[in-house]
Structures are given as C-alpha cells and as structure tokens.
Amino acid sequence: MMSNSNSKPEKNGALIDFLSNVLTGNFKKLVLINLLLDIPLVIIAGIIALISYLLGGIYIFVVMLVIPLLAPFSAGVFYIVRNIAKGEKIKIAEQFKRGVKDNAFQFFIQGIIHYLVFTGFYVAFEFYRNDLSNPLIISALVASIIVALIYLFMTFNMGMMTVTVKLKSIDIFKNSLLLSFMAIVQNVKTLLAMLFIFALIFSVTILISDMTIVVCILAALILIILPTLIFLIIGYNSYPAIKDFVIDSKTEKKRLCFHSSQQKNLRNTPRVTQMNMSM
C-alpha cells in the first residue's frame, strides 16, 4: 500500500489502494492537469464546432477528430500519470511540457491511426445493424466487436508505453497487441472502471429532466476532472504490465515483447536495442 501521493502503487492495482492513495493523494494535481489540458481541448472543440457549422450538421467523423488533434497534448498527461504510477515527484507544468515535446509526433501518428480505425468500426457497426436478420451479418458484427475490443485494449497500453520507453511506433503497436492478451486482467479492470464511471454519470443525468443542467454537469466534469481521471485509470493499470513485459522482460514468456531497460527519464536516453519476438 502507498503511504503518500508519491509512493509507488501496488502492482496488482488494488481498488482500495487506487481510491485511498493514488486518487485522493493526487486529486488536486489531477484537477490542475485537467485544467492545463482544457486549453487545447477548448480550441479543438471550437474547430470541430466550426467544421460542423460549415457542414450544416454534427457528424461522427468530424466529432472524432478530437482523437488525433488532442493526441499530442495527451502525451503530456500520460507522462505525468506515468510518474504518478512510478511514485515520482510531480511538477505539472514542466512535466506536461516535457511529455508533449518528447512524444507529440508519435502520439499524433497514433491518434490518426486510432481515428481511422474507430471510424471504420463505427461505419461497420452502422452497416451491420441494418440487417440483423442475416446470420452472416450477425457473425460479422460479433467478429467486429471482438476486434474492436482487442484494439481498445491495445490503446490502454499504447500511450503509457510511448512515454515510458523508446521504441519505434511499429514496435509499440506490436507490444500493445501482445499486451492486449498478456495483460488481460489489467485491461479488463480498466474497461470495467471506465464503464462504471460512464454508467454513474449516465445514471445521474437521466434523473435530471432539464437538459441545460445536464449539459452544464457534463461540461463541468470534462473541464475539471474526467479526461485526466480516465488517463490515470489507464496508466495506473497499464504501467505494471509495461514494466514487467517491456522494461524488465526477464523471463522467456516476457521476452515476447520488444523491450527496453531504458526509460524516458533523461533527455538523452539512448534508443533501445530491440529483441526479436519468439512466439
């Protein structure tokens, strides 16, 4: 268990440890981090609103532009969350800037890929749901859901891995695919935690009949804590697996991943030597 906000979290990511130490011990910092993220978030929201206005409607492919546009700045949040997970001292402005500077390009590339993949899944789901009477369509829909879930699990590990070790983007994707299975327990914990938060928010909003109040509540949550809280949940659960399978890699099983003993702590950290995967 952690005794203070700068202590290392338990490797198993116990819920009581997360709530009593990681979340409460760093709550003020999380709010400040979120407020820092609000700057690009508000600008991006304005861009999306302008595009939607020019197109004459709200389209999912326009709204999802937030993924690649916000990705470079999320690097700064993940960098700070990584340090929280390691129990290191937090300097919000300095570390946010450092995270963005060192990882913005890789995060942007990943954001573009995420945008294309998730947009593709959305189009596929919309196509399949129009003909659920066809067994082949139902089979294709189930297969798409499984693939989408695997890709979602990949994203849980991708951001934290990018700010933690120096690997090429292709190796980060390979490792993330492997960890979607090898770190299945952590991935499921992350998914369940996110579903619980969204379900809780949904439950509260449906009890309120005034849509103005609902919009204000959602806006306040997004501007004050929600994005950073999601980043923290993802990072807290994914870091132990990344440390075991990517950084340490001491056992034959763990050598399945491209790994590094070097973390992105220093500006001049040398690039890692990659190992071949032996399945």
Side-chain angles (χ1 to χ4, degrees):
M1 300 290 289
M2 295 192 309
S3 59
N4 56 66
S5 62
N6 289 327
S7 300
K8 286 188 178 182
E10 287 186 0
K11 183 178 178 179
N12 60 9
L15 178 60
I16 188 171
D17 177 68
F18 178 81
L19 294 175
S20 63
N21 295 294
V22 179
L23 182 57
T24 57
N26 294 281
F27 187 80
K28 291 182 180 179
K29 294 185 180 71
L30 295 176
V31 172
L32 291 175
I33 296 167
N34 207 95
L35 292 175
L36 196 58
L37 187 65
D38 285 343
I39 299 173
L41 183 60
V42 170
I43 294 174
I44 293 169
I47 294 172
I48 291 175
L50 177 60
I51 296 174
S52 298
Y53 173 77
L54 294 176
L55 293 177
I58 299 175
Y59 300 96
I60 189 66
F61 70 89
V62 175
V63 174
M64 290 179 67
L65 284 173
V66 69
I67 297 176
L69 293 179
L70 191 62
F73 304 99
S74 66
V77 180
F78 266 117
Y79 189 89
I80 298 173
V81 168
R82 188 280 308 269
N83 292 341
I84 292 176
K86 292 176 65 179
E88 295 182 352
K89 186 175 181 180
I90 306 303
K91 296 181 179 179
I92 296 175
E94 177 184 331
Q95 292 178 0
F96 184 88
K97 180 180 177 182
R98 169 78 177 279
V100 172
K101 180 180 178 181
D102 291 352
N103 303 283
F105 179 74
Q106 276 189 303
F107 267 76
F108 181 63
I109 297 300
Q110 292 170 13
I112 293 175
I113 295 173
H114 295 338
Y115 172 80
L116 295 175
V117 170
F118 285 123
T119 302
F121 282 134
Y122 173 79
V123 172
F125 294 153
E126 284 295 299
F127 173 78
Y128 294 143
R129 77 182 183 88
N130 291 325
D131 190 14
L132 294 179
S133 61
N134 189 329
L136 291 178
I137 294 295
I138 294 176
S139 299
L141 176 60
V142 172
S144 297
I145 292 173
I146 293 173
V147 173
L149 187 60
I150 292 173
Y151 191 83
L152 180 63
F153 285 173
M154 288 175 61
T155 64
F156 288 166
N157 299 285
M158 204 172 295
M160 185 62 74
M161 193 185 311
T162 303
V163 300
T164 303
V165 294
K166 286 197 172 183
L167 288 171
K168 294 180 180 178
S169 293
I170 184 64
D171 296 328
I172 290 174
F173 272 88
K174 289 177 181 178
N175 281 352
S176 298
L177 177 58
L178 290 169
L179 289 176
S180 67
F181 299 99
M182 297 165 70
I184 187 67
V185 174
Q186 291 93 326
N187 294 330
V188 171
K189 284 182 180 179
T190 300
L191 179 61
L192 291 178
M194 292 171 61
L195 290 176
F196 174 77
I197 292 173
F198 293 138
L200 184 62
I201 294 173
F202 178 76
S203 299
V204 172
T205 56
I206 61 175
L207 296 176
I208 303 173
S209 57
D210 192 329
M211 278 302 299
T212 302
I213 297 178
V214 171
V215 171
C216 289
I217 291 175
L218 293 177
L221 286 173
I222 292 172
L223 292 175
I224 295 174
I225 189 64
L226 187 58
T228 304
L229 177 59
I230 297 300
F231 283 130
L232 179 65
I233 292 171
I234 292 173
Y236 183 72
N237 283 320
S238 66
Y239 181 75
I242 292 170
K243 184 177 186 303
D244 283 350
F245 291 100
V246 182
I247 300 173
D248 294 341
S249 299
K250 293 178 181 178
T251 68
E252 188 64 29
K253 178 182 178 182
K254 294 177 181 179
R255 291 195 190 107
L256 291 171
C257 289
F258 289 89
H259 74 284
S260 170
S261 59
Q262 300 292 329
Q263 300 184 52
K264 289 184 177 178
N265 290 326
L266 304 175
R267 290 186 181 275
N268 297 320
T269 303
R271 294 195 65 84
V272 302
T273 301
Q274 300 171 2
M275 292 187 62
N276 294 325
M277 291 191 298
S278 54
M279 299 297 292

